[in-house]
PDB file of all heavy atoms in Angstrom:
ATOM      1  N   CYS B  19     116.040 142.122  97.859  1.00 90.00           N
ATOM      2  CA  CYS B  19     115.970 143.567  97.678  1.00 90.00           C
ATOM      3  C   CYS B  19     114.562 144.076  97.969  1.00 90.00           C
ATOM      4  O   CYS B  19     113.570 143.516  97.512  1.00 90.00           O
ATOM      5  CB  CYS B  19     116.367 143.934  96.251  1.00 90.00           C
ATOM      6  SG  CYS B  19     116.278 145.702  95.899  1.00 90.00           S
ATOM      7  N   TYR B  20     114.466 145.170  98.711  1.00 89.00           N
ATOM      8  CA  TYR B  20     113.182 145.774  99.065  1.00 89.00           C
ATOM      9  C   TYR B  20     112.542 146.472  97.868  1.00 89.00           C
ATOM     10  O   TYR B  20     111.323 146.522  97.760  1.00 89.00           O
ATOM     11  CB  TYR B  20     113.398 146.763 100.206  1.00 89.00           C
ATOM     12  CG  TYR B  20     112.135 147.379 100.731  1.00 89.00           C
ATOM     13  CD1 TYR B  20     111.309 146.683 101.607  1.00 89.00           C
ATOM     14  CD2 TYR B  20     111.755 148.664 100.358  1.00 89.00           C
ATOM     15  CE1 TYR B  20     110.148 147.242 102.091  1.00 89.00           C
ATOM     16  CE2 TYR B  20     110.590 149.229 100.838  1.00 89.00           C
ATOM     17  CZ  TYR B  20     109.789 148.514 101.709  1.00 89.00           C
ATOM     18  OH  TYR B  20     108.642 149.077 102.184  1.00 89.00           O
ATOM     19  N   ASP B  21     113.341 147.038  96.968  1.00 87.00           N
ATOM     20  CA  ASP B  21     112.818 147.804  95.846  1.00 87.00           C
ATOM     21  C   ASP B  21     112.423 146.954  94.640  1.00 87.00           C
ATOM     22  O   ASP B  21     111.714 147.431  93.765  1.00 87.00           O
ATOM     23  CB  ASP B  21     113.831 148.862  95.388  1.00 87.00           C
ATOM     24  CG  ASP B  21     113.928 150.020  96.354  1.00 87.00           C
ATOM     25  OD1 ASP B  21     112.987 150.210  97.152  1.00 87.00           O
ATOM     26  OD2 ASP B  21     114.938 150.746  96.310  1.00 87.00           O
ATOM     27  N   CYS B  22     112.868 145.720  94.572  1.00 86.00           N
ATOM     28  CA  CYS B  22     112.507 144.851  93.443  1.00 86.00           C
ATOM     29  C   CYS B  22     111.070 144.354  93.604  1.00 86.00           C
ATOM     30  O   CYS B  22     110.500 144.388  94.693  1.00 86.00           O
ATOM     31  CB  CYS B  22     113.459 143.666  93.365  1.00 86.00           C
ATOM     32  SG  CYS B  22     115.067 144.105  92.693  1.00 86.00           S
ATOM     33  N   VAL B  23     110.524 143.873  92.529  1.00 76.00           N
ATOM     34  CA  VAL B  23     109.173 143.324  92.539  1.00 76.00           C
ATOM     35  C   VAL B  23     109.120 142.182  93.563  1.00 76.00           C
ATOM     36  O   VAL B  23     110.050 141.378  93.638  1.00 76.00           O
ATOM     37  CB  VAL B  23     108.813 142.804  91.124  1.00 76.00           C
ATOM     38  CG1 VAL B  23     107.420 142.247  91.088  1.00 76.00           C
ATOM     39  CG2 VAL B  23     108.983 143.911  90.113  1.00 76.00           C
ATOM     40  N   PRO B  24     108.048 142.073  94.349  1.00 74.00           N
ATOM     41  CA  PRO B  24     107.977 141.018  95.374  1.00 74.00           C
ATOM     42  C   PRO B  24     108.144 139.598  94.827  1.00 74.00           C
ATOM     43  O   PRO B  24     108.607 138.726  95.548  1.00 74.00           O
ATOM     44  CB  PRO B  24     106.578 141.194  95.969  1.00 74.00           C
ATOM     45  CG  PRO B  24     106.204 142.603  95.673  1.00 74.00           C
ATOM     46  CD  PRO B  24     106.906 142.953  94.394  1.00 74.00           C
ATOM     47  N   ASP B  25     107.788 139.370  93.567  1.00 74.00           N
ATOM     48  CA  ASP B  25     107.921 138.029  92.997  1.00 74.00           C
ATOM     49  C   ASP B  25     109.352 137.704  92.582  1.00 74.00           C
ATOM     50  O   ASP B  25     109.699 136.542  92.411  1.00 74.00           O
ATOM     51  CB  ASP B  25     107.003 137.886  91.780  1.00 74.00           C
ATOM     52  CG  ASP B  25     105.540 138.018  92.173  1.00 74.00           C
ATOM     53  OD1 ASP B  25     105.209 137.713  93.332  1.00 74.00           O
ATOM     54  OD2 ASP B  25     104.736 138.443  91.318  1.00 74.00           O
ATOM     55  N   ALA B  26     110.181 138.715  92.411  1.00 80.00           N
ATOM     56  CA  ALA B  26     111.561 138.502  91.965  1.00 80.00           C
ATOM     57  C   ALA B  26     112.456 138.176  93.160  1.00 80.00           C
ATOM     58  O   ALA B  26     112.309 138.747  94.226  1.00 80.00           O
ATOM     59  CB  ALA B  26     112.072 139.746  91.255  1.00 80.00           C
ATOM     60  N   ASP B  27     113.365 137.243  92.954  1.00 84.00           N
ATOM     61  CA  ASP B  27     114.329 136.901  93.997  1.00 84.00           C
ATOM     62  C   ASP B  27     115.662 137.560  93.676  1.00 84.00           C
ATOM     63  O   ASP B  27     116.550 136.962  93.086  1.00 84.00           O
ATOM     64  CB  ASP B  27     114.511 135.387  94.094  1.00 84.00           C
ATOM     65  CG  ASP B  27     113.318 134.709  94.724  1.00 84.00           C
ATOM     66  OD1 ASP B  27     112.636 135.355  95.536  1.00 84.00           O
ATOM     67  OD2 ASP B  27     113.067 133.541  94.400  1.00 84.00           O
ATOM     68  N   ALA B  28     115.795 138.823  94.052  1.00 89.00           N
ATOM     69  CA  ALA B  28     117.036 139.566  93.837  1.00 89.00           C
ATOM     70  C   ALA B  28     117.751 139.658  95.178  1.00 89.00           C
ATOM     71  O   ALA B  28     117.292 140.357  96.085  1.00 89.00           O
ATOM     72  CB  ALA B  28     116.738 140.954  93.294  1.00 89.00           C
ATOM     73  N   PRO B  29     118.850 138.931  95.347  1.00 91.00           N
ATOM     74  CA  PRO B  29     119.543 138.950  96.630  1.00 91.00           C
ATOM     75  C   PRO B  29     120.104 140.333  96.956  1.00 91.00           C
ATOM     76  O   PRO B  29     120.589 141.042  96.076  1.00 91.00           O
ATOM     77  CB  PRO B  29     120.665 137.930  96.453  1.00 91.00           C
ATOM     78  CG  PRO B  29     120.830 137.779  94.987  1.00 91.00           C
ATOM     79  CD  PRO B  29     119.512 138.101  94.365  1.00 91.00           C
ATOM     80  N   ALA B  30     120.007 140.704  98.201  1.00 92.00           N
ATOM     81  CA  ALA B  30     120.522 141.997  98.655  1.00 92.00           C
ATOM     82  C   ALA B  30     122.042 141.942  98.782  1.00 92.00           C
ATOM     83  O   ALA B  30     122.611 140.939  99.202  1.00 92.00           O
ATOM     84  CB  ALA B  30     119.904 142.359  99.997  1.00 92.00           C
ATOM     85  N   VAL B  31     122.688 143.027  98.387  1.00 94.00           N
ATOM     86  CA  VAL B  31     124.145 143.129  98.498  1.00 94.00           C
ATOM     87  C   VAL B  31     124.555 144.271  99.420  1.00 94.00           C
ATOM     88  O   VAL B  31     125.722 144.404  99.759  1.00 94.00           O
ATOM     89  CB  VAL B  31     124.816 143.313  97.115  1.00 94.00           C
ATOM     90  CG1 VAL B  31     124.582 142.098  96.236  1.00 94.00           C
ATOM     91  CG2 VAL B  31     124.315 144.574  96.433  1.00 94.00           C
ATOM     92  N   ALA B  32     123.575 145.106  99.828  1.00 93.00           N
ATOM     93  CA  ALA B  32     123.878 146.248 100.683  1.00 93.00           C
ATOM     94  C   ALA B  32     122.627 146.659 101.451  1.00 93.00           C
ATOM     95  O   ALA B  32     121.523 146.229 101.134  1.00 93.00           O
ATOM     96  CB  ALA B  32     124.382 147.424  99.845  1.00 93.00           C
ATOM     97  N   ILE B  33     122.833 147.507 102.436  1.00 94.00           N
ATOM     98  CA  ILE B  33     121.746 148.059 103.248  1.00 94.00           C
ATOM     99  C   ILE B  33     121.820 149.574 103.138  1.00 94.00           C
ATOM    100  O   ILE B  33     122.894 150.164 103.258  1.00 94.00           O
ATOM    101  CB  ILE B  33     121.896 147.645 104.729  1.00 94.00           C
ATOM    102  CG1 ILE B  33     121.917 146.132 104.878  1.00 94.00           C
ATOM    103  CG2 ILE B  33     120.808 148.270 105.585  1.00 94.00           C
ATOM    104  CD1 ILE B  33     120.625 145.441 104.544  1.00 94.00           C
ATOM    105  N   CYS B  34     120.667 150.234 102.925  1.00 93.00           N
ATOM    106  CA  CYS B  34     120.619 151.690 102.838  1.00 93.00           C
ATOM    107  C   CYS B  34     121.019 152.290 104.189  1.00 93.00           C
ATOM    108  O   CYS B  34     120.500 151.895 105.236  1.00 93.00           O
ATOM    109  CB  CYS B  34     119.216 152.160 102.445  1.00 93.00           C
ATOM    110  SG  CYS B  34     119.061 153.960 102.405  1.00 93.00           S
ATOM    111  N   ARG B  35     121.929 153.225 104.155  1.00 89.00           N
ATOM    112  CA  ARG B  35     122.421 153.849 105.378  1.00 89.00           C
ATOM    113  C   ARG B  35     121.347 154.686 106.064  1.00 89.00           C
ATOM    114  O   ARG B  35     121.348 154.843 107.278  1.00 89.00           O
ATOM    115  CB  ARG B  35     123.619 154.737 105.045  1.00 89.00           C
ATOM    116  CG  ARG B  35     124.253 155.380 106.249  1.00 89.00           C
ATOM    117  CD  ARG B  35     125.502 156.127 105.813  1.00 89.00           C
ATOM    118  NE  ARG B  35     126.173 156.682 106.954  1.00 89.00           N
ATOM    119  CZ  ARG B  35     125.929 157.898 107.436  1.00 89.00           C
ATOM    120  NH1 ARG B  35     125.022 158.655 106.875  1.00 89.00           N
ATOM    121  NH2 ARG B  35     126.595 158.342 108.476  1.00 89.00           N
ATOM    122  N   ASN B  36     120.405 155.238 105.307  1.00 89.00           N
ATOM    123  CA  ASN B  36     119.388 156.116 105.887  1.00 89.00           C
ATOM    124  C   ASN B  36     118.175 155.358 106.410  1.00 89.00           C
ATOM    125  O   ASN B  36     117.750 155.575 107.534  1.00 89.00           O
ATOM    126  CB  ASN B  36     118.937 157.157 104.856  1.00 89.00           C
ATOM    127  CG  ASN B  36     120.041 158.112 104.505  1.00 89.00           C
ATOM    128  OD1 ASN B  36     121.005 158.262 105.231  1.00 89.00           O
ATOM    129  ND2 ASN B  36     119.910 158.761 103.373  1.00 89.00           N
ATOM    130  N   CYS B  37     117.582 154.480 105.592  1.00 92.00           N
ATOM    131  CA  CYS B  37     116.324 153.837 105.983  1.00 92.00           C
ATOM    132  C   CYS B  37     116.477 152.367 106.373  1.00 92.00           C
ATOM    133  O   CYS B  37     115.562 151.785 106.925  1.00 92.00           O
ATOM    134  CB  CYS B  37     115.279 153.996 104.881  1.00 92.00           C
ATOM    135  SG  CYS B  37     115.644 153.067 103.378  1.00 92.00           S
ATOM    136  N   GLY B  38     117.606 151.743 106.042  1.00 93.00           N
ATOM    137  CA  GLY B  38     117.839 150.353 106.422  1.00 93.00           C
ATOM    138  C   GLY B  38     117.261 149.319 105.483  1.00 93.00           C
ATOM    139  O   GLY B  38     117.241 148.138 105.809  1.00 93.00           O
ATOM    140  N   ALA B  39     116.784 149.732 104.310  1.00 92.00           N
ATOM    141  CA  ALA B  39     116.228 148.789 103.344  1.00 92.00           C
ATOM    142  C   ALA B  39     117.344 147.968 102.704  1.00 92.00           C
ATOM    143  O   ALA B  39     118.421 148.481 102.405  1.00 92.00           O
ATOM    144  CB  ALA B  39     115.453 149.539 102.259  1.00 92.00           C
ATOM    145  N   ALA B  40     117.063 146.680 102.483  1.00 93.00           N
ATOM    146  CA  ALA B  40     118.013 145.811 101.783  1.00 93.00           C
ATOM    147  C   ALA B  40     117.958 146.145 100.299  1.00 93.00           C
ATOM    148  O   ALA B  40     116.891 146.380  99.744  1.00 93.00           O
ATOM    149  CB  ALA B  40     117.650 144.355 102.017  1.00 93.00           C
ATOM    150  N   LEU B  41     119.134 146.165  99.654  1.00 93.00           N
ATOM    151  CA  LEU B  41     119.216 146.588  98.254  1.00 93.00           C
ATOM    152  C   LEU B  41     120.004 145.593  97.411  1.00 93.00           C
ATOM    153  O   LEU B  41     121.011 145.055  97.852  1.00 93.00           O
ATOM    154  CB  LEU B  41     119.906 147.948  98.160  1.00 93.00           C
ATOM    155  CG  LEU B  41     119.271 149.066  98.974  1.00 93.00           C
ATOM    156  CD1 LEU B  41     120.197 150.253  99.041  1.00 93.00           C
ATOM    157  CD2 LEU B  41     117.946 149.449  98.384  1.00 93.00           C
ATOM    158  N   CYS B  42     119.533 145.404  96.174  1.00 92.00           N
ATOM    159  CA  CYS B  42     120.268 144.577  95.224  1.00 92.00           C
ATOM    160  C   CYS B  42     121.315 145.452  94.520  1.00 92.00           C
ATOM    161  O   CYS B  42     121.412 146.646  94.785  1.00 92.00           O
ATOM    162  CB  CYS B  42     119.319 143.959  94.202  1.00 92.00           C
ATOM    163  SG  CYS B  42     118.558 145.158  93.089  1.00 92.00           S
ATOM    164  N   GLU B  43     122.049 144.853  93.615  1.00 90.00           N
ATOM    165  CA  GLU B  43     123.112 145.559  92.903  1.00 90.00           C
ATOM    166  C   GLU B  43     122.573 146.719  92.062  1.00 90.00           C
ATOM    167  O   GLU B  43     123.222 147.750  91.926  1.00 90.00           O
ATOM    168  CB  GLU B  43     123.848 144.565  92.008  1.00 90.00           C
ATOM    169  CG  GLU B  43     125.264 144.941  91.712  1.00 90.00           C
ATOM    170  CD  GLU B  43     125.988 143.809  91.027  1.00 90.00           C
ATOM    171  OE1 GLU B  43     126.106 142.733  91.626  1.00 90.00           O
ATOM    172  OE2 GLU B  43     126.436 144.024  89.883  1.00 90.00           O
ATOM    173  N   GLN B  44     121.369 146.582  91.518  1.00 89.00           N
ATOM    174  CA  GLN B  44     120.790 147.629  90.680  1.00 89.00           C
ATOM    175  C   GLN B  44     120.293 148.821  91.494  1.00 89.00           C
ATOM    176  O   GLN B  44     120.333 149.945  91.025  1.00 89.00           O
ATOM    177  CB  GLN B  44     119.619 147.078  89.868  1.00 89.00           C
ATOM    178  CG  GLN B  44     120.020 146.181  88.741  1.00 89.00           C
ATOM    179  CD  GLN B  44     118.802 145.727  87.954  1.00 89.00           C
ATOM    180  OE1 GLN B  44     117.733 145.528  88.519  1.00 89.00           O
ATOM    181  NE2 GLN B  44     118.976 145.573  86.658  1.00 89.00           N
ATOM    182  N   HIS B  45     119.783 148.586  92.679  1.00 90.00           N
ATOM    183  CA  HIS B  45     119.170 149.651  93.465  1.00 90.00           C
ATOM    184  C   HIS B  45     120.113 150.298  94.483  1.00 90.00           C
ATOM    185  O   HIS B  45     119.763 151.311  95.077  1.00 90.00           O
ATOM    186  CB  HIS B  45     117.919 149.126  94.182  1.00 90.00           C
ATOM    187  CG  HIS B  45     116.814 148.825  93.233  1.00 90.00           C
ATOM    188  ND1 HIS B  45     116.401 147.541  92.966  1.00 90.00           N
ATOM    189  CD2 HIS B  45     116.045 149.635  92.467  1.00 90.00           C
ATOM    190  CE1 HIS B  45     115.416 147.576  92.091  1.00 90.00           C
ATOM    191  NE2 HIS B  45     115.196 148.833  91.753  1.00 90.00           N
ATOM    192  N   ALA B  46     121.269 149.743  94.719  1.00 92.00           N
ATOM    193  CA  ALA B  46     122.237 150.321  95.648  1.00 92.00           C
ATOM    194  C   ALA B  46     123.015 151.429  94.941  1.00 92.00           C
ATOM    195  O   ALA B  46     123.644 151.197  93.914  1.00 92.00           O
ATOM    196  CB  ALA B  46     123.196 149.250  96.157  1.00 92.00           C
ATOM    197  N   LEU B  47     122.941 152.621  95.471  1.00 89.00           N
ATOM    198  CA  LEU B  47     123.636 153.769  94.886  1.00 89.00           C
ATOM    199  C   LEU B  47     124.701 154.265  95.847  1.00 89.00           C
ATOM    200  O   LEU B  47     124.469 154.363  97.048  1.00 89.00           O
ATOM    201  CB  LEU B  47     122.639 154.890  94.592  1.00 89.00           C
ATOM    202  CG  LEU B  47     121.478 154.531  93.675  1.00 89.00           C
ATOM    203  CD1 LEU B  47     120.444 155.639  93.684  1.00 89.00           C
ATOM    204  CD2 LEU B  47     121.983 154.295  92.278  1.00 89.00           C
ATOM    205  N   SER B  48     125.842 154.608  95.318  1.00 87.00           N
ATOM    206  CA  SER B  48     126.926 155.142  96.121  1.00 87.00           C
ATOM    207  C   SER B  48     126.861 156.666  96.086  1.00 87.00           C
ATOM    208  O   SER B  48     126.812 157.264  95.021  1.00 87.00           O
ATOM    209  CB  SER B  48     128.269 154.667  95.564  1.00 87.00           C
ATOM    210  OG  SER B  48     129.320 155.220  96.300  1.00 87.00           O
ATOM    211  N   ALA B  49     126.859 157.282  97.263  1.00 82.00           N
ATOM    212  CA  ALA B  49     126.796 158.737  97.362  1.00 82.00           C
ATOM    213  C   ALA B  49     128.004 159.237  98.152  1.00 82.00           C
ATOM    214  O   ALA B  49     128.378 158.631  99.156  1.00 82.00           O
ATOM    215  CB  ALA B  49     125.512 159.168  98.055  1.00 82.00           C
ATOM    216  N   PRO B  50     128.620 160.327  97.721  1.00 82.00           N
ATOM    217  CA  PRO B  50     129.768 160.852  98.459  1.00 82.00           C
ATOM    218  C   PRO B  50     129.316 161.514  99.761  1.00 82.00           C
ATOM    219  O   PRO B  50     128.204 162.019  99.871  1.00 82.00           O
ATOM    220  CB  PRO B  50     130.366 161.887  97.508  1.00 82.00           C
ATOM    221  CG  PRO B  50     129.227 162.305  96.655  1.00 82.00           C
ATOM    222  CD  PRO B  50     128.334 161.115  96.527  1.00 82.00           C
TER     223      PRO B  50
END
């Protein structure tokens, strides 16, 4: 995940549709 602390190993589960950042389960938000 791009938004997690660099020392943490949080696997990405999604990619932001706007900027392309990899996101973990906590940082991935669903928008209508």
Side-chain angles (χ1 to χ4, degrees):
C19 179
Y20 184 79
D21 287 340
C22 284
V23 181
D25 297 333
D27 287 332
V31 296
I33 302 293
C34 177
R35 183 175 184 270
N36 294 340
C37 69
L41 304 168
C42 67
E43 206 170 299
Q44 287 182 326
H45 291 110
L47 303 169
S48 178

